[in-house]
Amino acid sequence: MRFRHPDGSTVHLAYCTNVHPAETLDGVLAQLRDHCEPVRRRLGRDRLGIGLWLARDAARALTADPAALRRLRAELDTRGLEVVTLNGFPYQGFGDQHVKYRVYRPDWTEPDRLEHTTDLARLLTSLLPDDAAEGTISTLPLAWRTDFDPARPARDRHDTALDALRTLTTRLDALEDLTGRSIRVGLEPEPGCTVETTADAIGPLTALGRSAAGPARHRTDPRIGICVDTCHLATSFEEPRDALAALQRAEVSIVKSQLSAALHAEHPERADVRAALGAFAEPRFLHQTRTRTPQGALRATDDLDEALAGEGGLPTTAPWRSHFHVPLHAPPEPPLTSTLPVLKDTLALLVGGPVARTHHLEVETYTWQALPAALRPRTRGRLIDGIAAELGLARDMLTDLGLKELP
């Protein structure tokens, strides 16, 4: 879906396909047929944007076989779908029954992460619509905080990751010279990672900017920036206005934003609230949980069940937020709610002003099948309905901000 911003630029809205498990090219093609095109039809649109997730094996197959890449592009065109952004965070196995910490490997100290992201960038230049000159990719925020090799000094590990991103920048420069299309990559801060918050991203990204070489245009349109995920932002209790103002002062580019909502518990001291939260503790994904002390410091656990674990869990004197992407249009029943207000505030700051601060927006609720049983869609049709409803809500939020939906 495309929107005209009052500044005259085009803002793209997509939904991320990591909600549909697929590791192979055949699986991706089935996604387009069974889910993406039906979502487009449900919305009554001639064109729908998708934030494509290409797992390692699918990306390798497309990279190795130009005919397969042409086939994927033809399928997108035939089904009324377009791709301007890729989700490059999960590497493989995102549809497995137990993902948890494995989603953070390989990290940016490992060669496979650089090679995979390079492959994605090359593929995206061929998948972009003919009238789109720029594509974006979201990626791991360096590493999970404990995943660095403990035998190597922390500074050495950090420098290795930044060196890999510098190499990526050089490759993206060369790719634009070859294809005429610009691909930008955004580190996606996530609770528990080396880069957990937008504030954590400023240091590494400004270091990359200072060391970047190349044409002057890259100083104002850097290859590596940030992907602002509004669920992650909320889980860490970041104030959108403060976070985005700090990025602007540091001249950190907002490459894309993922529109998502976290789980919020206002009164975790209550037994009914804790019971409701317990229904969201599940074995597939990690649900980092945070609360604030009276002094404003964060207290944290890596997962929701750890937060609920009585002695040794999180204190219950202030609200909790958990990294569980809940459907935008359907917050959980009381006594829980979602951080949709944080999303709305962030979106207004990103595209509600006189100039759009990012042009790629992606609804990313990948947890539909991890919801408590009573909330989980039992059929493909119900999942399609839910995704379409989320996109419909995002569309309404954009038009309320003064953007005009395009055909």
Side-chain angles (χ1 to χ4, degrees):
M1 300 165 74
R2 297 186 182 192
F3 298 81
R4 181 72 67 210
H5 190 275
D7 67 6
S9 64
T10 300
V11 173
H12 294 263
L13 173 66
Y15 90 90
C16 186
T17 65
N18 61 358
V19 63
H20 311 305
E23 299 289 319
T24 65
L25 176 56
D26 285 343
V28 171
L29 295 173
Q31 287 177 352
L32 305 185
R33 179 192 67 226
D34 297 338
H35 293 99
C36 302
E37 184 178 9
V39 169
R40 177 184 65 76
R41 293 184 181 278
R42 195 67 47 92
L43 287 164
R45 305 301 301 161
D46 293 333
R47 174 172 52 192
L48 177 69
I50 57 173
L52 199 59
W53 175 57
L54 295 173
R56 179 199 64 182
D57 290 349
R60 287 181 178 177
L62 290 165
T63 301
D65 186 354
L69 181 56
R70 290 193 296 271
R71 180 188 175 196
L72 174 57
R73 174 60 192 269
E75 284 287 312
L76 291 167
D77 293 342
T78 298
R79 300 189 184 281
L81 306 169
E82 66 178 14
V83 175
V84 300
T85 190
L86 300 179
N87 188 329
F89 196 132
Y91 181 69
Q92 62 182 348
F94 198 62
D96 292 351
Q97 291 305 304
H98 186 83
V99 179
K100 298 289 185 181
Y101 294 95
R102 292 191 293 113
V103 75
Y104 305 106
R105 302 299 297 271
D107 61 39
W108 275 101
T109 69
E110 300 172 273
D112 284 347
R113 175 61 63 174
L114 172 61
E115 297 310 316
H116 178 60
T117 309
T118 301
D119 284 346
L120 294 180
R122 291 174 180 145
L123 295 172
L124 186 52
T125 61
S126 296
L127 296 176
L128 285 172
D130 292 340
D131 61 349
E134 178 181 287
T136 59
I137 302 170
S138 48
T139 190
L140 180 77
L142 301 188
W144 183 255
R145 69 182 187 281
T146 59
D147 269 353
F148 284 142
D149 179 357
R152 297 166 59 192
R155 175 64 6 192
D156 179 44
R157 299 193 296 267
H158 184 265
D159 289 347
T160 298
L162 292 189
D163 283 345
L165 289 170
R166 291 185 185 99
T167 299
L168 178 65
T169 297
T170 300
R171 293 178 179 181
L172 296 178
D173 285 346
L175 192 60
E176 183 176 11
D177 290 341
L178 179 65
T179 67
R181 292 182 153 187
S182 172
I183 305 298
R184 301 166 67 206
V185 174
L187 300 184
E188 181 185 332
E190 176 164 318
C193 289
T194 303
V195 174
E196 176 162 338
T197 66
T198 54
D200 294 336
I202 289 173
L205 290 174
T206 53
L208 286 172
R210 286 194 300 270
S211 63
R217 69 177 185 274
H218 297 161
R219 288 197 292 271
T220 57
D221 184 23
R223 298 294 186 200
I224 313 295
I226 194 170
C227 169
V228 175
D229 183 301
T230 57
C231 171
H232 303 173
L233 189 82
T235 300
S236 293
F237 287 89
E238 292 193 78
E239 291 294 335
R241 185 171 299 278
D242 294 342
L244 298 190
L247 293 175
Q248 188 167 25
R249 287 193 299 271
E251 299 184 346
V252 170
S253 172
I254 301 172
V255 169
K256 64 185 277 190
S257 180
Q258 289 174 326
L259 307 183
S260 53
L263 192 62
H264 180 93
E266 186 68 19
H267 296 286
E269 75 280 4
R270 287 169 28 188
D272 62 328
V273 173
R274 295 171 70 82
L277 284 169
F280 285 84
E282 53 83 34
R284 178 178 290 186
F285 300 114
L286 206 60
H287 301 298
Q288 304 93 312
T289 305
R290 303 288 186 265
T291 189
R292 284 188 293 196
T293 68
Q295 295 74 34
L298 281 184
R299 292 286 300 277
T301 61
D302 283 357
D303 216 342
L304 182 54
D305 55 355
E306 298 172 15
L308 292 165
E311 186 176 350
L314 283 186
T316 59
T317 53
W320 289 7
R321 289 178 179 174
S322 187
H323 173 220
F324 195 119
H325 290 219
V326 296
L328 303 186
H329 71 294
E333 294 291 330
L336 303 179
T337 187
S338 81
T339 60
L340 185 63
V342 176
L343 186 162
K344 290 181 176 179
D345 289 347
T346 307
L347 190 62
L349 293 166
L350 289 172
V351 299
V355 177
R357 295 187 59 184
T358 190
H359 294 90
H360 292 178
L361 305 171
E362 178 183 54
V363 172
E364 196 212 11
T365 305
Y366 59 81
T367 45
W368 282 97
Q369 299 306 330
L371 289 167
L375 304 177
R376 201 175 302 157
R378 295 296 184 180
T379 66
R380 182 186 300 165
R382 289 185 179 179
L383 177 58
I384 290 166
D385 286 343
I387 293 170
E390 287 195 294
L391 285 166
L393 176 62
R395 173 183 58 198
D396 291 346
M397 287 190 287
L398 289 171
T399 55
D400 286 347
L401 289 170
L403 282 74
K404 179 180 178 182
E405 188 175 5
L406 298 175

